[in-house]
Structure formats: structure tokens, C-alpha cells
Amino acid sequence: MDIKRRILVTGGCGFIGVNFIRLVLQDYPDWRIINLDKLTYAGNLQNLKGIEENKQYRFVHADICDAEQMEQLFAAEQIDSVVHFAAESHVDRSITGPAEFIQTNIIGTFTLLEAARKAWLEDSWQGSDPRFLHVSTDEVYGSLGATGMFRETTPFDPRSPYSASKASSDHLVSAYFHTYGLPVVITNCSNNYGPYQFPEKLIPLVFHNSMTGKPLPIYGDGKYVRDWLYVKDHCEAIVEVLKKGKDGESYNIGGNNEKQNLEVVTTICDTLDEKIGLPASGEPRKNNIIFVKDRPGHDRRYAIDASFIKEQLGWEPKFSFDKGIENTVEWYLANQEWVASVVDGSYRDYYKKMYG
Ligand code: NAD
Ligand code: DAU
């Protein structure tokens, strides 16, 4: 088969990366995927079970901070596209241990940019038009009050070590476009949810705790607002940006689903009560909600104006929050062994079984 793209996907064993790889291998059989992942606690090779046999797929266990290995891989695989997901992604972890965030999110992105620059901007580059797509977050824009929305032109104002590290990486990516002419595009999206999300993030955590009778912790007053984006919508947007985005441009991607955290948690509880009945206690699951100490520097509200990507590339989200949550709850109910293996840590055995 004539291969049309040779994509290096970084962090493809994490939540969004897995959903992206599954979508691409299904819809674009002539795109080759090299999935490069360090397999930190958030990387779960089990998520790609069944895909290992696909001839257009290869897994590489590596750290994006390893410059030599990145250079070799670009050359060996004639990489012409990068979709860069790899990052430390959890805000709470960035508060208790920021060092890894600086290393992977900033140094790692810099290392990849250098590898791409060396491979693509040299006279010997023979491949098709290259493209470096950097996946970032709406958190770089800081926190909104009751009104307003983030646009691509909103000044950066990151508040947590996580968002500051992502903002730094966005600036570096942009600098490589202006300084070297590296063909980059950046996406800044809102809170994703859906299958394969690590149960430290709000939605899968609430699912797991609800199923096991544990308290459902709400930070502060629970009136913090996030814009929820179903992960399939996000992955489809990334494909559009990869194919049709303009070099040097940033695209905001949102779900048009602004919700207060309390509403999100209540919706999951109510959906579960309806689908599988009340727990043994006979009490609605939402009665397990507890209000706990707030996250330091907790951003009050995020809201994405995604009109630019709609105008330019014709993308808009398809999933309402109700539909997305229903799908998500159904997926977690059908995959309780997956949740259990992630919670008890046994998901890590899969790597040993496959690769020794
Ligand atoms: P995740 O934490 O689920 O997965 C991250 C993946 O990166 C893991 O597989 C991990 O093993 C890998 N990784 C970490 N450090 C690495 C390194 N040094 N080298 C190679 N691989 C490494 O993250 P996610 O939720 O899938 O997010 C993916 C990207 O999207 C991140 O860049 C994140 O900042 C961004 N993002 C996420 C969301 C969200 O709601 N989840 C929203 C906006 C932006
Ligand atoms: O906005 C995009 C960002 O969304 C991404 O860049 C991050 O990688 C991703 O982790 C996510 O960050 P958040 O901090 O918004 O997601 P989290 O699921 O951790 O929290 C969502 C909201 O719920 C937030 O206001 C904090 C609150 N929360 C979270 C947890 C884990 C609680 O109230 N209780 C909890 O136990």
C-alpha cells in the first residue's frame, strides 16, 4: 500500500492519544502510526490491545527528552507528521510535583522540535510536506469570570505549574515557526472526557468512586466551570487541523458544553442510578458527594470560543454533554475490568507480557 502519511504520535498510550490512534487506523488505512510513549503511570499499553498486529502501527518505548533517539526515529521512519500529545497532564500532580512537568512538557517539546527541525529543514529532506501538530490546552489562557470566552487571541495567563509548562511549550512551538519556518500548528482544547481516561480526572474518578461506594470529592464550592469536549470530537478536530490547518496558526477546540462541576458529578450519579439501579444502601449515589479543601490556584471558569476552527476548517463538535456522558458511562460500565486494573496497577503487567 502507498503510505500517505508517516505520523509520529507521542503519548499514544494516554487517554487522548489512544482514542486518536484508534480513529486514524480505522479511517485512514494508508497513514502509518509510530506511537512513541514513555509509559509513565498514565501510559497504558493495554489500551491498544489488538492494534499491535496492524501493519501500519508500531510502538516505540521511549522518552521524548531523549534527543538521540528522537533524531534516529525521524530518520529511520521518514516521519513527515508529528501529533504531539505526550505530557504530564494532571493539574493536581503539577502542584505536588512540578519537576516532571517542566522536564516533559517543556524540555521534551523542545527536544522534539529540534529533531523535526533537523529532519525537515535540511536539504536532504525527500518526504512530502511535513507538519508538527502540538496538542495544548485552554488552561494557558488562565481563568475567566462569569462572562467571556477564550479566543485564539486571548493573552496567555497560566496559573498552575501544569498550565505554565504547557504555555511555555506553546511559545516554543510558535517560535520555531517564526524563527526557522518549521511548519507547525497548535490546538488548544477544553476538558476532554470519554473512554480510556485515567481515573484521577474528575469524570472517571467519580465513576469509579460511585461504583465502589467511596465519597465523591468536590473541590471548594463545586461552582467551578469547565467546557466538556467528548474525546471523539476532539480527535476528529485534530485530524482536520493536521490535514487542512494553516502553518503557524493556533486553533481553539471546545465542546460548547459549559458545566459546573457539581452538575457534572450529579449527572454521572443520576445516569448510573438510572442505568443500573440504586446501590445496596438504597440511597441515590449523589448522596455520597462531599465538599473538600479547594485546589490551590483553582481556575474559576474556562470557556472556549471555537468559531475560528468552524469558519476555517468546517469543524464543530457533534456530541451534546448528555450524549457524551451516556456513552462514557456505558463504556466504563462495559469495561470495569479496565478500571480495576488501572486502579490496582496491574495494567502495567501487559507491557512485560508483550515486550518482556
Ligand atoms: P495522559 O496523561 O492521559 O497521557 C499522557 C501520555 O504521555 C501517557 O501515555 C504518558 O506515558 C506519555 N508520556 C508522558 N511523559 C512522556 C515522555 N517524557 N515521553 C514520552 N511519553 C510520555 O494525557 P491526555 O489526557 O491524553 O492528554 C494528552 C495531551 O492533551 C497533553 O498534552 C495534554 O496537555 C493535552 N490536553 C489534555 C486535555 C484533557 O482534558 N485530557 C485537555 C486539553 C489538552
Ligand atoms: O481544560 C483542559 C484541561 O482539563 C487539560 O489541559 C488537563 O490536562 C486536564 O487534566 C483537565 O484539567 P482540569 O484540572 O480541569 O481537570 P480535572 O478532571 O482534574 O478537574 C476538573 C474540575 O473538577 C476542576 O475544576 C477540578 C475539579 N475536581 C477535580 C477532581 C479530580 C474536583 O472537584 N474534585 C476532584 O476530585
Side-chain angles (χ1 to χ4, degrees):
M1 187 189 296
D2 203 14
I3 301 298
K4 297 268 169 30
R5 272 183 193 275
R6 297 168 188 278
I7 312 178
L8 175 64
V9 173
T10 69
C13 295
F15 160 51
I16 306 174
V18 164
N19 282 281
F20 178 78
I21 290 175
R22 288 185 169 277
L23 178 89
V24 165
L25 289 177
Q26 185 185 302
D27 292 356
Y28 297 88
D30 54 2
W31 290 9
R32 177 162 169 75
I33 300 265
I34 315 300
N35 172 15
L36 183 145
D37 202 294
K38 184 180 172 183
L39 296 179
T40 67
Y41 80 93
N44 185 345
L45 204 58
Q46 228 183 200
N47 296 347
L48 294 147
K49 221 177 194 166
I51 282 180
E52 294 98 345
E53 286 82 40
N54 189 315
K55 292 207 168 32
Q56 301 313 349
Y57 173 81
R58 177 183 165 201
F59 171 66
V60 178
H61 187 195
D63 186 334
I64 54 167
C65 301
D66 184 335
E68 208 181 308
Q69 208 170 348
M70 294 311 104
E71 262 184 59
Q72 282 168 1
L73 195 62
F74 269 79
E77 286 286 350
Q78 284 295 292
I79 298 296
D80 59 30
S81 312
V82 174
V83 179
H84 177 33
F85 293 106
E88 286 296 329
S89 69
H90 192 42
V91 175
D92 292 330
R93 286 180 190 253
S94 84
I95 296 166
T96 50
E100 275 302 305
F101 288 71
I102 305 306
Q103 183 64 18
T104 286
N105 300 1
I106 305 177
I107 306 295
T109 302
F110 161 71
T111 308
L112 272 179
L113 287 165
E114 276 292 279
R117 180 167 81 90
K118 285 183 184 142
W120 298 340
L121 301 184
E122 282 178 355
D123 295 343
S124 58
W125 173 247
Q126 309 254 311
S128 48
D129 282 352
R131 166 147 283 176
F132 189 112
L133 190 156
H134 175 61
V135 179
S136 192
T137 171
D138 59 359
E139 299 202 10
V140 297
Y141 299 122
S143 183
L144 291 165
T147 58
M149 293 182 119
F150 298 134
R151 299 207 161 74
E152 286 79 358
T153 49
T154 304
F156 282 15
D157 185 19
R159 311 297 185 91
S160 70
Y162 163 70
S163 52
S165 69
K166 292 296 289 188
S168 308
S169 64
D170 291 18
H171 284 314
L172 273 172
V173 173
S174 179
Y176 270 64
F177 170 72
H178 291 289
T179 307
Y180 303 111
L182 195 77
V184 308
V185 275
I186 300 176
T187 57
N188 295 88
C189 73
S190 56
N191 284 59
N192 283 223
Y193 67 107
Y196 300 107
Q197 191 168 27
F198 197 88
E200 64 184 354
K201 308 279 165 55
L202 182 68
I203 289 183
L205 178 107
V206 165
F207 172 85
H208 174 66
N209 285 14
S210 300
M211 294 299 287
T212 48
K214 292 192 186 127
L216 310 174
I218 301 254
Y219 298 165
D221 64 2
K223 293 186 180 160
Y224 292 84
V225 173
R226 299 291 182 264
D227 165 25
W228 293 95
L229 172 65
Y230 191 59
V231 66
K232 186 163 192 276
D233 273 334
H234 181 204
C235 292
E236 286 177 352
I238 290 176
V239 168
E240 290 312 300
V241 176
L242 186 64
K243 290 198 303 194
K244 305 190 293 208
K246 185 171 163 234
D247 287 347
E249 203 68 84
S250 289
Y251 297 89
N252 279 355
I253 305 173
N256 295 335
N257 286 312
E258 272 189 66
K259 303 277 170 212
Q260 290 190 352
N261 292 339
L262 201 49
E263 187 186 345
V264 171
V265 174
T266 308
T267 305
I268 299 167
C269 291
D270 293 347
T271 309
L272 276 172
D273 289 352
E274 205 183 291
K275 283 197 183 292
I276 57 170
L278 295 175
S281 65
E283 300 262 336
R285 287 178 172 80
K286 63 183 163 215
N287 287 7
N288 272 349
I289 289 175
I290 55 163
F291 290 88
V292 299
K293 192 163 168 278
D294 211 347
R295 172 186 279 175
H298 199 170
D299 290 334
R300 191 60 170 171
R301 176 173 163 260
Y302 303 144
I304 283 261
D305 177 344
S307 54
F308 183 65
I309 188 172
K310 185 176 174 191
E311 279 160 30
Q312 298 293 314
L313 307 182
W315 176 89
E316 60 184 327
K318 296 182 187 128
F319 284 84
S320 66
F321 186 68
D322 286 347
K323 183 65 193 150
I325 278 290
E326 198 185 344
N327 285 3
T328 304
V329 166
E330 276 171 7
W331 188 88
Y332 281 95
L333 281 173
N335 290 277
Q336 289 186 63
E337 275 179 27
W338 179 91
V339 182
S341 77
V342 173
V343 172
D344 71 17
S346 58
Y347 68 106
R348 308 199 72 85
D349 299 341
Y350 189 71
Y351 176 77
K352 286 185 214 129
K353 206 172 96 194
M354 294 297 292
Y355 297 92

